[in-house]
Amino acid sequence: MATKSLEKLIDEFNRLPGIGRKSATRLAFHVLDMEEFEIERFTKAILEVKENTKRCRICHNFSEEEVCEVCSDEHRNKGIICVVEDTKDIVSLERAKSYRGVYHVLNGKIAPLNGITPDKLNIKSLMERVAAEEISEVILALNPDLEGETTAMYLTKLLKPFGIKVTRIASGIPMGGNIEFSDIATISKAMDGRQEL
Amino acid sequence: MATKSLEKLIDEFNRLPGIGRKSATRLAFHVLDMEEFEIERFTKAILEVKENTKRCRICHNFSEEEVCEVCSDEHRNKGIICVVEDTKDIVSLERAKSYRGVYHVLNGKIAPLNGITPDKLNIKSLMERVAAEEISEVILALNPDLEGETTAMYLTKLLKPFGIKVTRIASGIPMGGNIEFSDIATISKAMDGRQEL
């Protein structure tokens, strides 16, 4: 028996991904307990994020400026491009802190059955970068699924003629994971990708 | 490498209860994908919930009117009062649809170590209701923990002199739970509260 305003807010939270009815209820009640300034800061952040966020002119990463923080960072190696499906992948890769090159966001992967043909992705701008700049390596950091494999093969075919190294991130048993509970596709990938010690 | 606006929004989501860094990131990116009208509806719901929500004059439940929906519903039995710690408990109890009386929200439970003495709770208004109205039963729907027990005992002592029936909701193995994995306190409660079939 929540009030109408509460029900409305619960509905809103419930619409967010991964937020069930129970969590939505908890969150709505939490908002009721928040101070006025906290509520204002929260709603301001929601309203401003879309307003302030553009796409980087070079790599299509999210950015508040015309060129994103990675592309405008002079300590990054501009000769290596890591191709990702989605901006979210950049957040994860940056968190791992093991990569110092730049990125290129495809904004999806080839999936003809869903109407996503190569021309719908940021492939043309990738080719333009490769043609115009001194690129030594393109790393394909695409997810290891069917569409990811297809996209990787397609890009490899386009990139090879430029005479640059094209690599793909390793696939295998995740750290902390175990062989017993891994699916056969992962185990095969891990075997195929084995490295000499 | 999220933008500053994104980082701000991630921080905001991360402040909410039960939302970790990963979920907060997913939610912030989701907001970026939302349509303008959805963002507006969402922020409006957040801003309005506190504005529109008052406490019921009778039972202290959240309400948009002076008297809440339960207290103003003429089909509810006004002779039975179910005492709860928190308004959230009313939402859960109403969802179960097994109770047709009215409520009284204590707004906490007695916990002297945390500075919550009986005078900090809505106990005086409960006594006034019991004294002024025709009450046949007071159900104590307090959580089965130390403070809940203390509060139940305290209230029983105050209520008994009025000659009304004071009951406590049952404690035991939850539906779908199992004895093997239940803690000993729960098992003891379940044994003590056993009923003849």
Side-chain angles (χ1 to χ4, degrees), chain A residues 33-48:
Chain A
D33 280 338
M34 278 162 75
E35 299 292 331
E36 293 292 344
F37 79 92
E38 290 174 311
I39 289 178
E40 207 174 295
R41 192 182 57 199
F42 182 31
T43 50
K44 202 171 153 233
I46 296 169
L47 290 166
E48 285 184 354

Side-chain angles (χ1 to χ4, degrees), chain A:
Chain A
M1 188 64 59
T3 64
K4 278 196 200 83
S5 316
L6 263 168
E7 282 294 349
K8 253 190 218 166
L9 186 54
I10 293 169
D11 285 345
E12 286 299 326
F13 276 122
N14 197 187
R15 279 199 181 92
L16 300 176
I19 306 279
R21 196 83 201 155
K22 256 192 177 170
S23 305
T25 305
R26 198 184 55 225
L27 291 172
F29 276 101
H30 176 79
V31 170
L32 257 187
D33 280 338
M34 278 162 75
E35 299 292 331
E36 293 292 344
F37 79 92
E38 290 174 311
I39 289 178
E40 207 174 295
R41 192 182 57 199
F42 182 31
T43 50
K44 202 171 153 233
I46 296 169
L47 290 166
E48 285 184 354
V49 75
K50 198 161 180 142
E51 234 168 78
N52 293 350
T53 308
K54 297 188 269 270
R55 291 288 187 165
C56 170
R57 179 173 53 78
I58 301 171
C59 74
H60 311 284
N61 184 10
F62 284 131
S63 174
E64 306 214 346
E65 313 297 329
E66 219 201 323
V67 173
C68 79
E69 286 184 55
V70 178
C71 287
S72 56
D73 183 346
E74 35 178 84
H75 298 296
R76 310 283 302 217
N77 182 350
K78 303 284 168 7
I80 308 179
I81 297 177
C82 175
V83 176
V84 294
E85 291 165 27
D86 196 285
T87 331
K88 272 170 253 186
D89 300 324
I90 297 186
V91 176
S92 301
L93 286 162
E94 286 297 296
R95 208 180 286 136
K97 289 200 175 80
S98 59
Y99 177 64
R100 298 301 298 161
V102 289
Y103 294 96
H104 192 88
V105 180
L106 289 184
N107 213 19
K109 46 194 170 181
I110 300 173
L113 291 177
N114 297 325
I116 305 174
T117 44
D119 57 295
K120 299 255 166 61
L121 304 173
N122 296 320
I123 292 177
K124 193 165 159 268
S125 56
L126 173 64
M127 292 308 141
E128 282 165 5
R129 284 177 77 180
V130 168
E133 295 162 43
E134 292 259 346
I135 307 297
S136 62
E137 182 179 356
V138 171
I139 303 170
L140 303 176
L142 303 164
N143 288 328
D145 49 27
L146 191 65
E147 290 94 358
E149 300 290 336
T150 309
T151 312
M153 278 197 289
Y154 183 88
L155 291 177
T156 307
K157 235 164 134 183
L158 289 182
L159 291 163
K160 274 290 171 202
F162 288 92
I164 41 179
K165 196 166 144 194
V166 181
T167 57
R168 179 122 169 70
I169 53 162
S171 211
I173 317 291
M175 294 296 289
N178 57 41
I179 298 171
E180 186 184 351
F181 298 118
S182 294
D183 58 293
I184 50 169
T186 301
I187 293 173
S188 302
K189 277 283 178 193
M191 285 302 282
D192 293 348
R194 67 188 180 279
Q195 295 188 323
E196 212 177 306
L197 300 173

Side-chain angles (χ1 to χ4, degrees), chain A residues 1, chain B residues 76 90-101 103:
Chain A
M1 188 64 59
Chain B
R76 311 279 307 213
I90 295 184
V91 176
S92 302
L93 286 162
E94 285 297 296
R95 207 180 288 136
K97 291 199 173 81
S98 61
Y99 178 63
R100 298 302 299 162
Y103 295 97

Side-chain angles (χ1 to χ4, degrees), chain B:
Chain B
M1 189 63 62
T3 64
K4 278 195 202 85
S5 315
L6 264 168
E7 282 295 350
K8 251 188 219 167
L9 185 55
I10 293 170
D11 287 346
E12 286 298 328
F13 276 122
N14 197 186
R15 279 199 182 94
L16 300 177
I19 307 279
R21 196 84 201 153
K22 259 192 173 168
S23 305
T25 306
R26 197 186 54 224
L27 291 171
F29 275 100
H30 176 80
V31 169
L32 258 187
D33 282 338
M34 276 162 76
E35 299 292 331
E36 294 293 344
F37 79 91
E38 291 175 310
I39 289 178
E40 207 175 295
R41 193 183 53 200
F42 183 31
T43 50
K44 202 172 151 232
I46 296 170
L47 289 166
E48 287 185 352
V49 75
K50 201 166 176 136
E51 238 169 75
N52 294 349
T53 308
K54 297 189 269 271
R55 291 289 187 162
C56 170
R57 181 173 51 81
I58 301 171
C59 74
H60 311 285
N61 184 10
F62 284 132
S63 174
E64 306 213 345
E65 311 299 329
E66 219 202 324
V67 172
C68 79
E69 286 183 56
V70 179
C71 287
S72 56
D73 182 346
E74 37 180 83
H75 297 294
R76 311 279 307 213
N77 182 349
K78 303 285 170 5
I80 307 180
I81 298 178
C82 175
V83 175
V84 295
E85 290 165 25
D86 197 284
T87 331
K88 272 171 252 186
D89 300 325
I90 295 184
V91 176
S92 302
L93 286 162
E94 285 297 296
R95 207 180 288 136
K97 291 199 173 81
S98 61
Y99 178 63
R100 298 302 299 162
V102 291
Y103 295 97
H104 192 88
V105 180
L106 287 184
N107 212 20
K109 46 194 169 182
I110 300 171
L113 292 177
N114 298 325
I116 305 174
T117 44
D119 57 297
K120 300 254 166 60
L121 305 174
N122 296 323
I123 292 177
K124 195 169 157 265
S125 55
L126 173 64
M127 292 309 141
E128 283 163 7
R129 284 178 78 179
V130 169
E133 294 161 45
E134 290 262 344
I135 307 297
S136 63
E137 181 179 357
V138 171
I139 303 170
L140 302 175
L142 303 164
N143 287 327
D145 50 26
L146 192 64
E147 290 94 357
E149 300 289 336
T150 310
T151 312
M153 279 197 289
Y154 184 88
L155 291 177
T156 307
K157 235 163 132 185
L158 289 183
L159 290 164
K160 274 290 173 201
F162 288 91
I164 41 179
K165 196 168 145 193
V166 180
T167 58
R168 181 122 167 71
I169 53 162
S171 212
I173 317 291
M175 292 299 286
N178 56 41
I179 298 169
E180 186 183 351
F181 299 118
S182 294
D183 59 291
I184 49 169
T186 301
I187 293 173
S188 302
K189 277 284 179 193
M191 283 302 282
D192 292 350
R194 68 188 179 279
Q195 295 186 321
E196 211 177 307
L197 300 173

